[in-house]
Amino acid sequence: MQALGAQLQAKKKTVALVPTMGCLHRGHRCLIEVAQERAQVVVVSVFVNPVQFGPGEDFDKYPRTEAEDIAMCKKLGVNILFMPSAGEMFPPYFSSGVEERQCSTGLCGAFRPGHFRGVATVVLMLFNIVRPQIAIFGQKDIQQAAMVSKMIVDFFVPVAVFIMPTIRELDGLALSSRNRYLSEEERKVASQLFVALNAAYQVAKPGVKAKVLTDIVAAHLARFSLFRVQYIELVDSAFMSPIEAVLERLDCMLIAAAYLGTTRLIDNIRILPCHK
Ligand code: AMP
């Protein structure tokens, strides 16, 4: 892959990278299709990155569907599918790490210590291996996309990031490889996370306090006893820092994480600035 990346760069090809952990679904497909519109060569990476999972998280049971992923990439006409092994990426002598400290400290970062460090490290490695001009991420993991964007600025990485909207099931549940962990009963209520965010979104306009919005989300979720809320926050979209109220000229997001049984769901909804 490193040799191919160098060759493509020498040939001045536009390369787009879609980094994934595999178990590809419609959400990933959307990123791949956008990559194909934007670049001459599309590289999809499938790597279940061990260093972004904390102790006790689901690294071992994270769904791996290699054959289906290969078939989907073939069908979509992906040019290069990069599936390194954990040993190739993190040999025993590996001793470095990338830490972004603005976008990645709150929200999921506060509950998953080391997670974003693991993500930033592997994403920078993938950028160096593949040498893309473009990288495509999904809004579902907005904190990850924000952190990567900030890391790119801090390290002068010549990659343009595109963030694509969240692809959902018909009832609103954001597609995720982890949705397959949900029991039938949990799956029935899972979409309520998005319904709750939407209920708050309906009243979001400049001046409305964060607490008003987060209370609406919390009250809605409280009606479904299976949910255990981890966080609900109003943050600015670029740096993921908490804000006290919806501002007229700032793009912000209502963002939440909640458990259904042992499955952790995240979702967010963007509140665009309204210019009068
Ligand atoms: P993952 O394989 O879950 O690590 O995700 C790989 C990429 O796909 C990340 O940029 C995710 O944000 C993106 N992604 C995952 N689920 C969705 C979705 N439902 N809609 C859009 N993008 C998604």
Side-chain angles (χ1 to χ4, degrees):
M1 185 65 247
Q2 236 183 328
L4 272 176
Q7 269 174 31
L8 291 166
Q9 192 177 44
K11 287 189 193 152
K12 304 215 178 318
K13 297 281 187 196
T14 318
V15 177
L17 172 66
V18 181
T20 80
M21 296 208 298
C23 193
L24 302 179
H25 51 63
R26 249 182 328 116
H28 299 112
R29 193 178 81 200
C30 161
L31 306 187
I32 293 169
E33 286 167 351
V34 169
Q36 287 172 324
E37 279 170 20
R38 303 273 164 172
Q40 292 164 299
V41 178
V42 172
V43 181
V44 172
S45 62
V46 169
F47 181 59
V48 184
N49 174 26
V51 302
Q52 73 185 63
F53 288 80
E57 286 190 357
D58 56 345
F59 175 69
D60 288 328
K61 71 165 188 152
Y62 194 83
R64 288 159 172 90
T65 57
E66 271 186 26
E68 285 92 335
D69 294 349
I70 293 169
M72 177 160 162
C73 286
K74 272 198 183 140
K75 192 164 154 218
L76 291 175
V78 168
N79 303 92
I80 301 171
L81 175 57
F82 178 44
M83 302 174 99
S85 69
E88 278 174 297
M89 294 293 274
F90 296 105
Y93 57 80
F94 189 91
S95 61
S96 304
V98 177
E99 196 174 273
E100 189 286 327
R101 285 191 297 268
Q102 179 153 43
C103 305
S104 58
T105 45
L107 308 172
C108 291
F111 294 94
R112 302 184 67 189
H115 168 68
F116 284 117
R117 188 177 201 271
V119 174
T121 303
V122 85
V123 169
L124 190 61
M125 290 164 75
L126 290 170
F127 285 169
N128 287 331
I129 295 167
V130 177
R131 305 197 199 179
Q133 285 79 47
I134 295 169
I136 323 266
F137 292 86
Q139 186 186 319
K140 189 185 76 80
D141 303 277
I142 188 64
Q143 191 177 11
Q144 166 177 282
M147 178 201 66
V148 170
S149 305
K150 183 62 169 45
M151 174 186 79
I152 280 174
V153 170
D154 289 345
F155 287 124
F156 299 91
V157 181
V159 173
V161 165
F162 287 78
I163 303 175
M164 302 316 299
T166 304
I167 305 296
R168 300 178 180 281
E169 301 283 5
L170 283 176
D171 65 353
L173 174 65
L175 292 194
S176 163
S177 312
R178 290 187 169 103
N179 290 351
R180 62 180 59 199
Y181 299 154
L182 296 169
S183 69
E184 211 174 304
E185 204 187 353
E186 289 163 354
R187 174 62 190 87
K188 273 192 201 139
V189 296
S191 60
Q192 295 303 326
L193 181 56
F194 185 56
V195 175
L197 291 170
N198 258 305
Y201 177 79
Q202 298 308 318
V203 305
K205 54 176 199 250
V208 173
K209 294 262 182 276
K211 179 142 185 349
V212 172
L213 301 177
T214 56
D215 281 353
I216 292 174
V217 180
H220 186 94
L221 292 177
R223 289 165 41 200
F224 304 89
S225 59
L226 288 176
F227 275 107
R228 276 183 299 122
V229 172
Q230 195 169 55
Y231 67 75
I232 306 164
E233 285 194 45
L234 182 70
V235 297
D236 82 84
S237 301
F239 294 146
M240 302 284 110
S241 19
I243 50 177
E244 274 176 29
V246 177
L247 300 168
E248 212 161 293
R249 306 214 183 285
L250 190 75
D251 186 338
C252 59
M253 328 204 75
L254 200 51
I255 182 163
Y259 276 96
L260 274 178
T262 52
T263 307
R264 189 169 174 276
L265 302 180
I266 54 170
D267 206 348
N268 64 77
I269 195 162
R270 195 159 171 190
I271 303 166
L272 291 171
C274 82
H275 293 275
K276 286 192 204 126

